[in-house]
Amino acid sequence: MAGKIDAHLAELGIEIPTATAPAANYVPYVKTGNLVFLSGQVPVVDGKLTYQGKIGQDFTTEEGMACARVCGLNILSQVKDACGGDLDKVVRCVKLSGFVNCTDGFGEQPKVVNGASDLMVEIFGDKGRHARFAVGTNALPMNVAVEIDAVFEIS
């Protein structure tokens, strides 16, 4: 039987992708106590990298927000795996950390990372509200436009 969050996802028309394996020598998440620390998630869709390039050069702020949403969906795939497939075990999203591959002088990193932040609130309501940072950088692994990591509390 689907849980409350799965039913809400269906109402929203949101599908959580299958969790992917790490691309290097690390694990996708670590559980300690009631916290799950998630490794950085990049914009992978159906096993393929998307959004490779810089925000402010190759992508607009709005496209960056869409990229961050993809990262958020990949975060949720890992959280779901950490919860044994039951997102109802999420107590709250504690923190998101957003890295934006952008041009010099670009200043809309917070707006870009809102793509993931808005997703968490859309799905979890008040339990999706979190602490956060959003920073710009001159490069990210595999030239992705956005990478986001997270901390969740689970039951």
Side-chain angles (χ1 to χ4, degrees):
M1 183 167 94
K4 290 179 183 177
I5 295 296
D6 285 336
H8 185 56
L9 287 167
E11 288 172 7
L12 295 170
I14 296 173
E15 188 174 325
I16 303 299
T18 302
T20 60
N25 186 18
Y26 62 90
V27 294
Y29 58 84
V30 171
K31 293 194 298 190
T32 181
N34 289 342
L35 296 178
V36 179
F37 291 81
L38 294 119
S39 295
Q41 298 297 305
V42 297
V44 173
V45 176
D46 296 329
K48 294 184 175 72
L49 276 175
T50 60
Y51 295 99
Q52 290 178 282
K54 290 190 179 294
I55 309 294
Q57 174 181 301
D58 305 303
F59 302 106
T60 64
T61 298
E62 290 71 24
E63 289 169 322
M65 291 174 69
C67 177
R69 184 177 175 93
V70 171
C71 295
L73 289 168
N74 290 329
I75 285 168
L76 292 172
S77 73
Q78 298 296 346
V79 171
K80 187 171 184 175
D81 190 61
C83 290
D86 184 3
L87 285 172
D88 286 347
K89 291 183 179 180
V90 169
V91 173
R92 82 168 302 131
C93 177
V94 177
K95 185 173 185 183
L96 295 182
S97 304
F99 301 89
V100 178
N101 181 4
C102 58
T103 56
D104 288 347
F106 182 82
E108 294 191 318
Q109 294 86 353
K111 189 172 180 183
V112 168
V113 178
N114 276 348
S117 292
D118 293 348
L119 178 68
M120 298 309 155
V121 176
E122 182 180 5
I123 292 171
F124 297 109
D126 283 342
K127 295 189 308 184
R129 298 194 184 282
H130 50 273
R132 185 184 93 174
F133 72 75
V135 298
T137 183
N138 67 330
L140 285 172
M142 300 166 288
N143 197 35
V144 296
V146 177
E147 181 174 3
I148 301 175
D149 74 3
V151 179
F152 278 75
E153 180 182 0
I154 61 172
S155 60

